[in-house]
Amino acid sequence: CLGLCDTRNFINNCLLFLSGYAADIISTVEFNYSGELLATGDKGGRVVIFQREQESKNRLLSRGEYNVYSTFQSHEPEFDYLKSLEIEEKINKIRWLPQQNAAHFLLSANDKTIKLWKISERDKRAEGYNLKDEDGRLQDQFRITTLRVPVLMPMDLMVEASPRRIFANAHTYHINSISVNSDYETYLSADDLRINLWHLEITDRSFNIVDIKPANMEELTEVITAAECHPHQCNVFVYSSSKGTIRLCDMRAAALCDRHSKFFEEPEDPSSRSFFSEIISSISDVKFSHSGRYMMTRDYLSVKVWDLNMENRPVETYQVHEYLRSKLCSLYENDCIFDKFECCWNGSDSAIMTGSYNNFFRMFDRNTRRDITLEASRENSKPRAILKPRKVCTGGKRKKDEISVDSLDFNKKILHTAWHPKENVIAVAATNNLYIFQDKMN
């Protein structure tokens, strides 16, 4: 993975500062399939798309430069009058569709509604109408004596975002996941208790493929936390639960996938059980590897890599911030223990990345088992600045470059990260700031 854990490796390419308002807190980050576009969603319901500088592709030190390409309001706040509930506009997930023509398509979801957006460019306009004058006003038909053929004239580039489909009224609970299937015709959406399968062309109905809602809600013991389609097999998907388990389902087996094909769970060590065990074992994210052979799950303290052929335990476990185990009581009191961290693979599945507190993010090299902690902050965000590795001191005498675990700022957290599908360019969302880093080329 090109020495990702080399301490001299990552440089800051650009800091995109959005603003200091709560509505501008970034809630999702996603590269498209080519990596040329990067989309972010925020709590204010906006989607901001960044495009890679075309001139920077051939300049190694600048190939990670992205500029704003389009901004549009995806969702508005709503009110459910039947249930007397406010539906906030916050974007929970964004998923790109593979590009089929000049336009780009993406799905964006808030708590209840999913929208399919078309992002297209216009650099020409028609001129020379017969029934309209240059200002667009209708002309008197009796004064028209000649027939003109309208012509296309060049104009300043304009990027348009238009909603093509709206998928609504299918989720009783909050949507936590959307995932585009490998057939590129269907996608799934998941909430706390149900998973629905949609066709991209049909908005008025979906198929319920998982329903874990008990007849008596008092018997509810777990909820769905994340779901994803297999990258190559359109009949296979997985979903994770708040109990730390993962279920793999095959849609060929039955229309309703209440019975899983595989069940992944790591046995708990009874000696380490505590009051917080069930909370910290809850899985916040699940991602298939690009190859489809492995999947990665993120719980509160660790990242685990599972082989789809081995259900009884993960093949790799990486501790993200084990030093917080002694702080679980205070993290429970300030609700940080319920934070949902995401994780992501690099393009070759040889490295993984996930976030932590104090604006730290962690990277793990699967081949060498080396890891590194880096910080995304405005203090060290000078362009081309090399990121220095950070270390957390858990006790004893603190070294010069270390930070004490008691000094960590739990209000600064990196929940959302994304890795370019083909290159070592990463995007890290730290509250309302988006950082883009690339590996250092010697």
Side-chain angles (χ1 to χ4, degrees), residues 28-33 39 91-98 105-109 115-117 176-180 187-188 227-228 285-287 342:
T28 184
V29 183
E30 186 80 5
F31 279 104
N32 73 338
Y33 281 76
I91 307 296
N92 292 336
K93 292 291 176 183
I94 289 174
R95 290 292 180 265
W96 290 92
L97 273 66
F105 290 86
L106 63 81
L107 291 166
S108 63
K115 296 183 181 182
L116 174 66
W117 290 89
N176 56 46
S177 301
I178 53 174
S179 179
V180 179
Y187 74 93
L188 62 80
E228 185 168 72
D285 196 18
V286 58
K287 294 278 174 63
E342 296 176 2

Side-chain angles (χ1 to χ4, degrees), residues 6 8 60 440-442:
D6 185 337
R8 302 167 300 166
L60 292 179
K440 180 176 180 292
M441 303 296 290
N442 293 322

Side-chain angles (χ1 to χ4, degrees), residues 294-312:
Y294 302 97
M295 65 178 173
M296 171 173 51
T297 59
R298 170 70 205 265
D299 57 43
Y300 189 67
L301 293 178
S302 64
V303 172
K304 296 172 183 175
V305 176
W306 302 77
D307 189 322
L308 295 190
N309 299 321
M310 190 168 76
E311 303 170 50
N312 59 340

Side-chain angles (χ1 to χ4, degrees), residues 116 156 178 202 210 239 267 319 325 358 437:
L116 174 66
D156 293 337
I178 53 174
I202 301 171
V210 172
Y239 67 93
Q319 300 301 331
R325 192 175 289 275
N358 208 71
F437 304 104

Side-chain angles (χ1 to χ4, degrees), residues 117-145:
W117 290 89
K118 177 183 179 182
I119 295 93
S120 55
E121 296 182 352
R122 233 174 9 123
D123 59 358
K124 293 183 175 62
R125 68 172 185 270
E127 289 186 359
Y129 289 104
N130 289 286
L131 300 178
K132 295 180 182 178
D133 60 19
E134 297 301 325
D135 296 324
R137 294 189 296 264
L138 288 175
Q139 297 189 78
D140 186 352
Q141 299 182 23
F142 298 102
R143 294 185 178 182
I144 299 173
T145 56

Side-chain angles (χ1 to χ4, degrees), residues 145-343:
T145 56
T146 58
L147 185 65
R148 294 190 297 176
V149 178
V151 294
L152 290 176
M153 300 295 290
M155 59 176 279
D156 293 337
L157 179 67
M158 185 167 64
V159 180
E160 296 177 318
S162 54
R164 309 299 290 182
R165 306 274 188 278
I166 297 178
F167 308 89
N169 305 319
H171 285 280
T172 307
Y173 306 96
H174 292 177
I175 296 171
N176 56 46
S177 301
I178 53 174
S179 179
V180 179
N181 211 338
S182 59
D183 59 12
Y184 304 136
E185 293 182 352
T186 57
Y187 74 93
L188 62 80
S189 59
D191 64 25
D192 293 338
L193 298 178
R194 296 188 180 96
I195 300 177
N196 294 331
L197 182 69
W198 299 84
H199 194 285
L200 286 165
E201 298 293 329
I202 301 171
T203 61
D204 59 350
R205 64 185 180 275
S206 63
F207 297 98
N208 179 228
I209 54 176
V210 172
D211 189 346
I212 66 169
K213 183 181 179 182
N216 182 2
M217 284 295 282
E218 291 181 0
E219 299 173 1
L220 182 68
T221 59
E222 63 180 334
V223 295
I224 298 168
T225 56
E228 185 168 72
C229 296
H230 192 279
H232 307 302
Q233 301 172 27
C234 62
N235 52 286
V236 174
F237 68 95
V238 295
Y239 67 93
S240 58
S241 85
S242 56
K243 278 192 169 181
T245 61
I246 311 104
R247 292 171 173 84
L248 184 142
C249 301
D250 190 335
M251 287 185 277
R252 296 174 299 183
L256 187 62
C257 299
D258 283 346
R259 293 184 179 179
H260 48 265
S261 301
K262 292 188 177 184
F263 183 77
F264 300 84
E265 182 179 25
E266 184 175 24
E268 185 185 12
D269 182 3
S271 63
S272 64
R273 179 156 184 84
S274 71
F275 171 78
F276 305 106
S277 294
E278 191 167 324
I279 300 174
I280 63 175
S281 66
S282 176
I283 294 172
S284 56
D285 196 18
V286 58
K287 294 278 174 63
F288 277 109
S289 63
H290 295 86
S291 66
R293 171 69 186 275
Y294 302 97
M295 65 178 173
M296 171 173 51
T297 59
R298 170 70 205 265
D299 57 43
Y300 189 67
L301 293 178
S302 64
V303 172
K304 296 172 183 175
V305 176
W306 302 77
D307 189 322
L308 295 190
N309 299 321
M310 190 168 76
E311 303 170 50
N312 59 340
R313 61 184 175 86
V315 291
E316 301 163 28
T317 300
Y318 302 97
Q319 300 301 331
V320 179
H321 38 218
E322 182 64 20
Y323 47 79
L324 294 182
R325 192 175 289 275
S326 62
K327 302 285 183 184
L328 292 179
C329 187
S330 58
L331 291 166
Y332 178 78
E333 290 175 353
N334 62 20
D335 284 344
C336 285
I337 201 169
F338 301 106
D339 286 335
K340 300 183 185 304
F341 293 94
E342 296 176 2
C343 52

